[in-house]
């Protein structure tokens, strides 16, 4: 027991007496504004819930025993990996993917989702760049607006909006093609 106490005291004293050889470093510089660019993009998102390889799958659901009305009951959470294409056809040139999650956040008849998606571009001028979208999405409205809250690559510090229009919707299985018109400002 005496040896344990002695070792403990040696450790405490050695830590207490060890000089600190590093210093906090900080440097502030005046902000130099950068000329910003405005970029306009239009593409299509294919949100596929059906088939043997869906691009959106439910990963959590409400803990309830009552039968909920509607295709996505309140609290349903989906993970997505949707294709981005140049045109509305699934055979159009693929330019990237939308990856993220959406949650059914409405308890009334007007279905609303809260979504976070990363619109990643895999070809063209913006290959390797992405836009971050975090917004409320009232999907029963034909035209809606989502917030662009950031990005990476050529879209670092991006902001502004995405206008979403439902191009087609299969009400039987939930598959949808969405037209995204993006307006962003970025350095």
């Amino acid at each position: 027991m005496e040896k344990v106490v002695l070792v403990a005291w040696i450790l405490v004293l050695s830590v207490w007496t060890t000089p600190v050889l590093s210093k906090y470093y900080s440097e502030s510089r005046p902000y130099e504004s950068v000329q910003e660019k405005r970029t306009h993009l239009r593409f299509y998102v294919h949100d596929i819930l059906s088939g043997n390889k869906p691009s959106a799958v439910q990963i959590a659901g409400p803990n309830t025993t009552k039968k909920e009305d509607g295709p996505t009951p309140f609290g349903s959470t989906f993970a997505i990996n949707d294709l981005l294409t140049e045109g509305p056809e699934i055979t159009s040139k693929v330019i990237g993917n939308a990856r993220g999650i959406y949650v059914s956040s409405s308890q009334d008849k007007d279905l609303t989702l809260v979504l976070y998606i990363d619109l990643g571009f895999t070809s063209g001028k913006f290959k390797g760049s992405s836009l971050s979208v975090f917004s409320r999405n009232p999907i029963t409205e034909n035209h809606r607006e989502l917030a662009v809250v950031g990005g990476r690559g050529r879209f670092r510090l991006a902001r502004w909006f995405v206008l979403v229009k439902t191009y087609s919707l299969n009400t039987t299985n939930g598959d949808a093609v969405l037209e995204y018109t993006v307006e962003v400002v970025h350095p």
Side-chain angles (χ1 to χ4, degrees):
M1 180 68 177
E2 291 177 3
K3 288 183 181 181
V4 172
V5 172
L6 180 63
V7 169
W9 272 108
I10 291 172
L11 286 174
V12 168
L13 290 175
S14 65
V15 170
W16 180 55
T17 60
T18 303
V20 176
L21 300 177
S22 64
K23 294 181 181 177
Y24 176 74
Y25 175 77
S26 175
E27 179 183 341
S28 296
R29 292 178 279 155
Y31 176 73
E32 298 172 18
S33 64
V34 178
Q35 182 68 32
E36 293 187 316
K37 299 178 267 266
R38 179 177 173 176
T39 299
H40 172 85
L41 303 166
R42 190 181 78 195
F43 51 85
Y44 295 84
V45 177
H46 299 265
D47 194 44
I48 309 300
L49 298 170
S50 66
N52 60 0
K53 193 174 179 188
S55 65
V57 294
Q58 187 170 351
I59 57 173
N63 187 12
T64 181
T65 56
K66 72 174 191 166
K67 174 71 174 135
E68 296 278 345
D69 292 334
T72 55
F74 176 72
S76 298
T77 304
F78 290 79
I80 65 168
N81 185 9
D82 296 342
L83 289 180
L84 306 181
T85 61
E86 286 184 347
E89 300 80 21
I90 195 71
T91 56
S92 296
K93 181 180 177 189
V94 175
I95 59 167
N97 52 45
R99 292 181 177 162
I101 60 171
Y102 57 80
V103 178
S104 178
S105 59
S106 177
Q107 292 183 324
D108 54 20
K109 296 292 181 198
D110 295 328
L111 182 58
T112 300
L113 305 174
V114 172
L115 63 98
Y116 164 74
I117 53 174
D118 182 79
L119 302 171
F121 298 94
T122 57
S123 67
K125 181 178 178 180
F126 299 109
K127 180 178 181 178
S129 299
S130 71
L131 292 168
S132 298
V133 177
F134 183 71
S135 199
R136 180 175 190 243
N137 184 5
I139 66 172
T140 55
E141 297 175 14
N142 194 34
H143 297 279
R144 45 215 189 263
E145 182 176 321
L146 308 176
V148 174
V149 296
R152 63 183 176 82
R154 295 191 63 184
F155 292 123
R156 186 176 293 142
L157 298 174
R159 63 192 185 286
W160 227 353
F161 62 89
V162 178
L163 295 177
V164 180
K165 180 181 173 187
T166 303
Y167 181 83
S168 67
L169 173 65
N170 183 329
T171 56
T172 305
N173 61 18
D175 293 354
V177 177
L178 309 168
E179 179 182 353
Y180 274 36
T181 302
V182 181
E183 293 286 341
V184 291
V185 176
H186 57 97

